[in-house]
Amino acid sequence: MRNIAVVGTGYVGLCTAATFAHAGNRVVGVDVDAEKIARLTAGESPIFEPGLAQLLREHWRTGRLAFTTDYADAIPAADFVFICVDTPTGANGGADLHHVRAAAGSIARALDPGHRTIVIDKSTMPVGSGEAIAAILHEASRADAPFAVVSNPEFLREGSALHDAFHPDRVVIGSGDPAVTAAVAALYEPFGAPIYRTSLRAAEMIKYASNAMLATRISFMSEIAHICDGLGVDVREVATGMGMDTRIGPQFLKAGIGFGGSCFPKDVKALAFMAEEAEYTPQLLHAVLEINREARRSFVRKISHLVGDIEGATIAVWGLAFKPDTDDLREAPSLDIIRDLLSRGATVRAFDPVAMEAARRVLPEVVYCADLYQAATGADAVALITEWDTFRALDFALVRSVMRGQVFVDGRNQFDPTAMAALGFTYRGVGVSLVQVASLADAGVPVPAPVSV
Ligand code: UGA
């Protein structure tokens, strides 16, 4: 049984704490937010993450998991200290490291000079942060307490963070000291994942490059979807055909209204900022972000085009969270789309299974509804924004009957265009039109001539 401290009790910190407690370690979570710690100490999870509340309660009972606001309760006894505080976007687009620096200072002041502590950066931090943290620990620690700093980035997806924590594709450990790397690798033994040992800086970069790659795939498919829209091709067929190439693979090829969340937008911006600092112009990263913004704008233009006049129209928005199985609204496409609709004079009626409380605080102008049918009532158009599973098994005839109009714009390409048309909807996806090339001309849409060979 090892002693572990986890600094920062957001979704990364809590999942890290819960999984290491489950693996048999003694874990103390530290956070400066007293209210959060009070809730955790009362056995409650402050965030919605499937399975997390149960696991926290289980290890609260086994006694392997405790929480505190006081670094002195957690750090001196710890063999390993994970830094899991947030690294939001700063004013210049780079990562804001205020919380990391504050955490490192507090850790340093609480280190026990009597034994070596391994400080592990799990938060996403710019390349070079590990060295900066080592400098803070060196300056602020008492009596030169021995320590080592390691980068061990997280690759957890919100909504399946626990599954990802227990079954990582890989564990990346960056450090200049093989003995320290081995000690951290031993912590991960129970999870049976491949361990990739790197330099400190490479580990930091792997995290950014991985998120940027995933975001690039999404923006790439957004671009292909736009082209498909213009040519009468179903982008879903294209994605399936592409994904069968083992060099490409099937994941992250789903076209829609693009990516949101606390990670991709922030990390792509931060990587672009690092590139500029290193005197390189990251054209691709800028394009990835711009295509993602355009995906939201063009979705609203599509609704507007189909509804005719958006001013005075009522639009039902299905789903608010940035993706299913989370209540997280950070950088959610729904926010930009709703603001755009409202600014054009539309009334917005919305439903989301878990994100409505958070949405109410930032978008008070929206009419929040008890369910999808109520949201659709009197609407000229339904806009599907978040593909919650529970949105699939619906009585669409009822949806159609309570609406004033018949437009259905599917931001996640969840439904079958032909079936939706048969139900009387004017259906559009993203890169998924009902009309095939043969009937585009009948619908009065200009069809590009086949290329002559
Ligand atoms: C992402 C990464 O997947 C994690 O590996 C990483 O650890 C995490 O960021 C982080 O840096 O902390 P997350 O933001 O939770 O995780 O969400 P994803 O499931 O990756 O989805 C991100 C966005 O991409 C969502 O808005 C989703 O709707 C969108 N997406 C995803 C698509 O538009 N198309 C796809 O094919 C896949």
Side-chain angles (χ1 to χ4, degrees):
M1 186 183 273
R2 299 171 183 91
N3 287 319
I4 295 176
V6 174
V7 176
T9 57
Y11 93 101
V12 172
L14 286 177
C15 291
T16 303
T19 39
F20 281 118
H22 200 69
N25 303 287
R26 196 179 301 113
V27 184
V28 183
V30 192
D31 204 297
V32 290
D33 183 338
E35 195 192 315
K36 222 186 225 182
I37 293 299
R39 289 181 67 181
L40 284 162
T41 313
E44 245 181 75
S45 171
I47 56 165
F48 175 84
E49 182 63 41
L52 182 63
Q54 294 90 306
L55 201 61
L56 291 175
R57 271 197 300 275
E58 181 182 336
H59 292 296
W60 185 69
R61 278 195 296 269
T62 59
R64 296 211 290 269
L65 192 51
F67 293 96
T68 178
T69 53
D70 191 350
Y71 281 76
D73 289 344
I75 306 299
D79 309 303
F80 300 91
V81 178
F82 283 92
I83 300 185
C84 302
V85 299
D86 56 332
T87 52
T89 302
N92 53 14
D96 176 343
L97 294 181
H98 274 93
H99 295 160
V100 172
R101 285 199 206 94
S106 303
I107 292 166
R109 287 185 287 278
L111 284 178
D112 173 9
H115 80 288
R116 187 181 65 173
T117 313
I118 299 180
V119 176
I120 305 170
D121 301 345
K122 198 165 251 317
S123 303
T124 304
M125 297 185 203
V127 176
S129 297
E131 290 141 61
I133 288 173
I136 295 174
L137 294 174
H138 186 68
E139 272 165 38
S141 73
R142 288 179 298 155
D144 281 335
F147 67 84
V149 177
V150 173
S151 169
N152 167 224
E154 56 85 15
F155 300 103
L156 311 177
R157 290 162 302 172
E158 282 184 44
S160 43
L162 277 183
H163 172 271
D164 294 350
F166 281 118
H167 309 281
D169 284 349
R170 80 306 205 183
V171 173
V172 174
I173 305 173
S175 137
D177 182 337
V180 170
T181 302
V184 179
L187 268 186
Y188 282 96
E189 227 162 61
F191 308 117
I195 307 265
Y196 184 49
R197 296 163 169 82
T198 70
S199 68
L200 188 56
R201 285 186 171 224
E204 291 168 338
M205 187 64 182
I206 285 168
K207 168 65 190 196
Y208 280 102
S210 299
N211 272 3
M213 177 71 199
L214 294 170
T216 301
R217 284 173 74 104
I218 298 169
S219 280
F220 179 81
M221 291 313 292
S222 257
E223 187 143 303
I224 296 295
H226 272 98
I227 302 171
C228 285
D229 257 340
L231 298 179
V233 180
D234 186 331
V235 72
R236 295 172 304 178
E237 289 186 352
V238 177
T240 304
M242 287 169 63
M244 290 165 80
D245 185 325
T246 49
R247 293 168 304 173
I248 297 173
Q251 296 208 49
F252 277 75
L253 293 182
K254 257 192 265 145
I257 43 178
F259 57 82
S262 65
C263 304
F264 287 172
K266 162 177 86 71
D267 294 347
V268 178
K269 274 182 218 154
L271 184 56
F273 179 79
M274 277 185 258
E276 306 272 5
E277 293 272 280
E279 295 181 2
Y280 173 77
T281 305
Q283 297 182 61
L284 180 60
L285 300 181
H286 288 316
V288 165
L289 292 168
E290 179 48 29
I291 291 170
N292 197 48
R293 285 189 286 266
E294 175 57 18
R296 300 169 184 199
R297 293 193 292 259
S298 65
F299 186 69
V300 174
R301 284 201 304 275
K302 194 174 275 181
I303 298 172
S304 171
H305 173 74
L306 292 167
V307 166
D309 192 0
I310 204 99
E311 189 169 357
T314 298
I315 313 296
V317 166
W318 285 6
L320 296 164
F322 87 91
K323 66 173 189 176
D325 295 322
T326 171
D327 62 352
D328 200 338
L329 276 177
R330 283 176 290 177
E331 300 270 354
S334 65
L335 302 181
D336 281 346
I337 289 168
I338 290 174
R339 286 194 184 111
D340 198 352
L341 289 169
L342 292 171
S343 75
R344 290 164 186 250
T347 298
V348 174
R349 299 169 62 79
F351 172 74
D352 186 283
V354 298
M356 290 207 289
E357 266 325 297
R360 249 182 249 277
R361 289 194 284 274
V362 284
L363 289 170
E365 310 91 324
V366 168
V367 182
Y368 293 94
C369 301
D371 58 31
L372 295 173
Y373 301 102
Q374 203 186 86
T377 301
D380 298 289
V382 169
L384 177 92
I385 307 272
T386 317
E387 69 277 33
W388 286 92
D389 264 352
T390 48
F391 290 7
R392 282 172 217 266
L394 294 178
D395 180 347
F396 276 104
L398 178 59
V399 174
R400 176 74 189 81
S401 72
V402 296
M403 288 174 68
R404 179 165 69 187
Q406 75 290 340
V407 171
F408 194 106
V409 191
D410 182 350
R412 300 294 182 180
N413 293 341
Q414 289 301 289
F415 299 108
D416 176 45
T418 314
M420 294 300 273
L423 283 159
F425 290 104
T426 301
Y427 176 89
R428 294 289 185 281
V430 179
V432 180
S433 311
L434 167 66
V435 272
Q436 298 303 312
V437 173
S439 53
L440 273 171
D442 303 340
V445 177
V447 182
V451 178
S452 48
V453 280

